[in-house]
Amino acid sequence: MPRIICVAGARPNYMKIKPVMDALERRGAEVVLVHTGQHYDPAMNDVFFADLGIRPPDRFLGVGSGSHAEQTGRVMTAFEPLLDEVAPDLVVVVGDINSTLACALVTAKAGPLLAHVEAGLRSRDWSMPEEVNRVATDRVSDYLLAPSPDAAENLRAEGYRDDQIHLVGNVMIDTLLANLERARASDILSRYGLKKGEFGLVTLHRPANVDDPEVLTGLLKALGEIAGRCPLVLPVHPRAAGRLAEIGVPGGIRLVPPTGYLDFIALQDSARVVLTDSGGIQEETTALGVPCVTLRDNTERPITVEQGTNVLAGRDPARIVSTVHRVLDAPPAPRRPDLWDGRASDRIADVLLAGGTASTRPRPTDQPRPKDRTFPI
């Protein structure tokens, strides 16, 4: 059976890589888990491994923080000799963080096949570092594992071959459904004195929202108005903690420490509404049937708007307030997209283990450039 490296680097990766690893190992593959250490805070790392039952990584690169260039470069420098030593048949990367792109670039140059889980997601907002990461990762991947029909269509429109594109569903939902009953057994509501359906949940972490004091001040003003109708709970992301302390948080917004995976799912599941700038939370709330208001002008997960419970509100404070009031007055009907059924990881494993080897499978560079298509890079 093949030897497969699965790469994780930060909190958004953990929920995606765990079910894929499990599905591959159930089929007899030798899986080597590599953790790049892009997230190194125990509150963002260790508790998620424990909650999800992820075994300790086989290799830990410990790259830490830094600018995008520094972090990406350190991951590449550390991953290259590891790849040479382990000599895998296939490398699996997930999502769109710096570690995803760094390991993808090293793999594409070294020779093993490369699979990208969550391929084809597009916000079309080039100011988002994640958009650059996901587009570039797709370009050098052999297997493009799309979570939704819009993602697969994006890939077709960009000229990728049909044999590269596989519509497999959403691995985040595999993890959510596998852990939902455990999450519902959490005591976090009683710990914080909350009641189901009587509070809103907020997350803020994107640089566009938390690094600009003027933007963050406007968002907090909007949240303060909303809290007058629906008290809000805000687990504080390390990126936002200092900024929030500087600006000050309006009354009705309760700051709490970062939560583990199970506790956070419990909060989402019990919230009356969720306000977020996270892509993954747009997906989780859709699966849970909980109204979600996204504090961004765009989303790389439009299926959560078209078929789910997500509403885009942008970052204008007045629009955010009016959107939340509208959602509270008339919550969207719960709908779960096709293939968000808890079996995406099984479909991924079937695709990967049925493929060829690096010497027999056509590579991304083998495809012609159609004259009427715009390539991503």
Side-chain angles (χ1 to χ4, degrees):
M1 292 300 287
R3 176 179 297 166
I4 300 175
I5 287 180
C6 288
V7 177
R11 169 174 161 169
N13 288 173
Y14 307 152
M15 297 83 79
K16 302 167 188 175
I17 205 65
K18 173 62 160 64
V20 175
M21 290 172 53
D22 289 348
L24 290 169
E25 289 180 333
R26 282 196 300 270
R27 288 158 174 78
E30 178 188 352
V31 174
V32 178
L33 175 59
V34 174
H35 190 321
T36 68
Q38 182 172 327
H39 271 175
Y40 52 95
D41 186 320
M44 304 296 288
N45 182 19
D46 296 352
V47 68
F48 271 70
F49 268 58
D51 278 357
L52 295 173
I54 304 177
R55 60 179 168 81
D58 298 294
R59 302 296 181 92
F60 182 74
L61 304 185
V63 300
S65 62
S67 71
H68 287 283
E70 291 169 337
Q71 196 171 63
T72 303
R74 281 202 294 267
V75 174
M76 293 181 71
T77 301
F79 188 65
E80 185 176 49
L82 184 153
L83 196 66
D84 184 58
E85 176 193 343
V86 175
D89 300 288
L90 173 71
V91 174
V92 179
V93 296
V94 297
D96 51 25
I97 64 172
N98 289 337
S99 294
T100 305
L101 176 60
C103 293
L105 291 173
V106 171
T107 301
K109 293 183 178 183
L113 292 170
L114 175 66
H116 184 204
V117 175
E118 285 198 333
L121 296 179
R122 299 289 185 266
S123 69
R124 296 176 175 82
D125 179 358
W126 286 94
S127 69
M128 293 176 62
E130 297 89 346
E131 182 76 352
V132 178
N133 290 346
R134 63 176 73 102
V135 169
T137 299
D138 283 344
R139 188 64 186 86
V140 296
S141 293
D142 300 283
Y143 295 95
L144 299 167
L145 303 163
S148 52
D150 59 280
E153 183 53 39
N154 287 337
L155 294 167
R156 292 189 193 97
E158 292 171 5
Y160 292 97
R161 299 189 316 266
D162 287 341
D163 71 296
Q164 291 178 273
I165 303 168
H166 304 272
L167 178 58
V168 294
N170 192 328
V171 291
M172 287 270 290
I173 307 308
D174 290 18
T175 298
L176 174 66
L177 296 179
N179 291 281
L180 186 54
E181 291 310 312
R182 291 174 62 220
R184 286 173 171 165
S186 165
D187 66 349
I188 193 166
L189 295 187
S190 60
R191 263 185 278 150
Y192 290 147
L194 302 171
K195 293 184 178 180
K196 184 176 177 64
E198 296 186 8
F199 67 95
L201 178 64
V202 181
T203 76
L204 291 171
H205 77 282
R206 291 201 174 274
N209 282 344
V210 301
D211 287 356
D212 185 328
E214 184 176 346
V215 171
L216 184 57
T217 298
L219 291 175
L220 290 171
K221 177 178 180 294
L223 294 175
E225 290 187 43
I226 294 162
R229 176 175 178 183
C230 178
L232 300 177
V233 175
L234 199 170
V236 182
H237 190 285
R239 170 176 281 279
R243 301 287 189 186
L244 292 172
E246 292 172 11
I247 295 172
V249 177
I253 303 174
R254 181 176 181 180
L255 302 183
V256 300
T259 64
Y261 178 76
L262 296 176
D263 282 348
F264 191 74
I265 293 298
L267 288 174
Q268 286 190 76
D269 186 50
S270 295
R272 184 178 177 189
V273 64
V274 175
L275 295 90
T276 188
D277 55 12
S278 161
I281 291 172
Q282 296 171 50
E283 295 174 316
E284 289 169 343
T285 49
T286 283
L288 293 168
V290 174
C292 177
V293 175
T294 295
L295 309 178
R296 289 167 47 187
D297 297 312
N298 51 61
T299 178
E300 65 282 358
R301 293 162 171 90
I303 194 170
T304 63
V305 177
E306 297 158 3
Q307 298 185 29
T309 57
N310 185 27
V311 179
L312 281 179
R315 295 185 296 162
D316 175 71
R319 183 181 170 194
I320 291 169
V321 172
S322 64
T323 300
V324 173
H325 283 313
R326 186 172 72 250
V327 167
L328 291 175
D329 290 338
R335 293 173 295 176
R336 186 180 295 172
D338 291 340
L339 300 186
W340 291 26
D341 56 3
R343 297 193 296 274
S345 53
D346 287 319
R347 288 186 283 269
I348 288 172
D350 289 342
V351 167
L352 298 184
L353 297 180
T357 66
S359 61
T360 63
R361 184 175 173 82
R363 306 311 301 269
T365 51
D366 295 334
Q367 64 188 28
R369 288 176 172 259
K371 295 180 180 178
D372 59 342
R373 301 267 176 92
T374 300
F375 272 69
I377 55 174

